[in-house]
């Protein structure tokens, strides 16, 4: 039985997969306008992609704006700096990455924080420890925009996230064939059977779109929907996504 994670009034790991909508504005006004629109969308959580924010390299600005974003959305907030090597907007030193996260945890507002799996172990553990002290949940993640690793490798990475004290384990991979999509789904199902954490998994692009709506069957507890601008290839518009998840729901 997969353990659940609750943030605010949302519980990941039970029932329908939860819908997460990313905010990808550059300026404070763009971000807050998108946040206000997101409040009225039929989604469960909001991800603020801070790597798009023009002042992200000033940690105090990120922390201050996070309070305004949270107030605007009235929903659980996932704060994410996606590094360049994992498909993000900005090249940043590891030191700067952890400094921003430290400031958000100390003086900002976040319900969940995204930490990449292959970051240096010591600052990762220090960040997770601080997050847990502050009551913030950790989504640990890994992205492959070129290919789909083997089923065993996907399971290994998700298991590694568990070992590193993640609260939620996330992986996104790029399929080159229909078989690749099946590999991701099989890995998810295998992991669901033994995981003690909620999983978020997806096969990206048009080919992998089925993986974004089949989480209830295979074991992915959340899916990312596009409000306007997608933050990754293959994201389904949020209004359509809810309908698809309801149509594909399991009985009971």
């Amino acid at each position: 039985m997969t353990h659940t994670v609750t943030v605010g009034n949302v519980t990941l790991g039970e029932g329908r997969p939860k819908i997460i909508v990313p905010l990808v504005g550059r300026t404070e006004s763009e971000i807050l306008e998108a946040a206000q629109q997101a409040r009225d969308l039929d989604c469960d959580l909001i991800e603020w992609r801070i790597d798009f924010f023009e002042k992200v390299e000033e940690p105090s600005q990120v922390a201050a704006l996070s309070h305004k974003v949270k107030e605007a959305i009235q929903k659980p907030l996932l704060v994410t700096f996606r590094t360049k090597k994992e498909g993000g907007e900005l090249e940043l030193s590891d030191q700067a990455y952890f400094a921003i996260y430290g400031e958000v945890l100390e003086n900002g507002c976040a319900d969940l924080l995204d930490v990449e799996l292959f970051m240096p172990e010591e600052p990762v553990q220090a960040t997770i420890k601080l997050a847990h002290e502050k009551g913030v949940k950790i989504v640990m993640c890994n992205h492959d925009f070129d290919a789909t690793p083997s089923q065993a490798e996907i399971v290994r990475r998700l298991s590694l996230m568990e070992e590193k004290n993640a609260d939620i384990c996330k992986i996104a991979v790029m399929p080159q064939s229909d078989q690749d999509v099946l590999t991701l789904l099989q890995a998810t199902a295998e992991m669901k059977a033994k995981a003690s954490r909620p999983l978020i998994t997806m096969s990206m692009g048009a080919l992998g779109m089925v993986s974004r709506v089949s989480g209830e069957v295979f074991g992915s507890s959340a899916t990312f929907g596009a409000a306007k601008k997608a933050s990754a290839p293959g994201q389904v518009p949020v209004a359509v996504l809810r309908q698809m998840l309801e149509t594909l729901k399991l009985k009971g």
Side-chain angles (χ1 to χ4, degrees):
M1 170 66 189
T2 305
H3 295 245
T4 59
V5 166
T6 299
V7 281
N9 59 352
V10 175
T11 300
L12 291 108
E14 67 177 25
R16 298 299 89 71
K18 304 308 179 282
I19 297 175
I20 304 173
V21 166
L23 304 179
V24 292
R26 281 194 69 253
T27 65
E28 178 167 336
S29 60
E30 281 173 10
I31 291 160
L32 291 177
E33 187 186 344
Q36 276 149 6
Q37 289 166 352
R39 174 159 72 182
D40 301 326
L41 286 175
D42 185 8
C43 65
D44 302 293
L45 303 100
I46 302 294
E47 178 187 42
W48 179 23
R49 279 284 301 276
I50 62 173
D51 51 302
F52 283 86
F53 178 37
E54 63 184 4
K55 293 181 180 170
V56 71
E57 292 180 84
E58 300 172 49
S60 62
Q61 296 270 2
V62 181
L65 186 49
S66 67
H67 288 280
K68 296 181 186 177
V69 171
K70 175 66 180 177
E71 197 180 334
I73 60 174
Q74 302 284 304
K75 290 178 183 183
L77 177 62
L78 164 63
V79 172
T80 298
F81 186 100
R82 179 67 56 245
T83 65
K84 193 81 168 171
K85 64 179 179 287
E86 296 236 357
E89 283 297 293
L90 183 69
E91 195 78 59
L92 197 68
S93 71
D94 291 352
Q95 192 178 354
Y97 172 94
F98 289 109
I100 294 164
Y101 275 179
E103 182 71 16
V104 168
L105 290 170
E106 290 288 1
N107 297 309
C109 185
D111 300 289
L112 305 115
L113 190 69
D114 176 287
V115 176
E116 291 174 4
L117 171 62
F118 294 125
M119 279 293 195
E121 184 64 19
E122 279 185 26
V124 162
Q125 288 309 318
T127 300
I128 292 174
K129 183 172 182 288
L130 179 60
H132 288 162
E133 284 169 7
K134 301 284 186 184
V136 175
K137 306 292 188 191
I138 294 291
V139 179
M140 193 170 276
C141 65
N142 174 243
H143 300 77
D144 190 327
F145 280 88
D146 300 314
T148 297
S150 69
Q151 183 175 334
E153 177 59 15
I154 294 171
V155 168
R156 185 189 78 83
R157 291 182 194 177
L158 291 168
S159 301
L160 196 53
M161 294 171 194
E162 276 198 319
E163 288 167 29
K164 288 177 184 273
N165 302 314
D167 298 292
I168 297 165
C169 307
K170 176 192 170 195
I171 196 163
V173 297
M174 187 63 78
Q176 303 297 338
S177 68
D178 54 359
Q179 289 301 313
D180 282 347
V181 181
L182 291 175
T183 297
L184 180 277
L185 293 173
Q186 284 172 316
T188 306
E190 181 186 334
M191 194 67 197
K192 179 180 72 161
K194 62 181 182 182
S196 60
R197 311 277 199 280
L199 309 170
I200 302 176
T201 70
M202 68 213 74
S203 182
M204 293 184 280
L207 204 51
M209 210 177 283
V210 63
S211 71
R212 293 180 180 275
V213 295
S214 60
E216 196 171 349
V217 172
F218 293 101
S220 180
S221 66
T223 185
F224 288 76
K228 285 183 180 170
K229 184 183 173 190
S231 67
Q235 279 179 5
V236 181
V238 67
V240 179
L241 194 51
R242 180 72 74 189
Q243 205 174 352
M244 291 170 87
L245 292 174
E246 284 298 324
T247 303
L248 292 170
K249 72 182 179 187
L250 303 178
K251 288 187 169 60

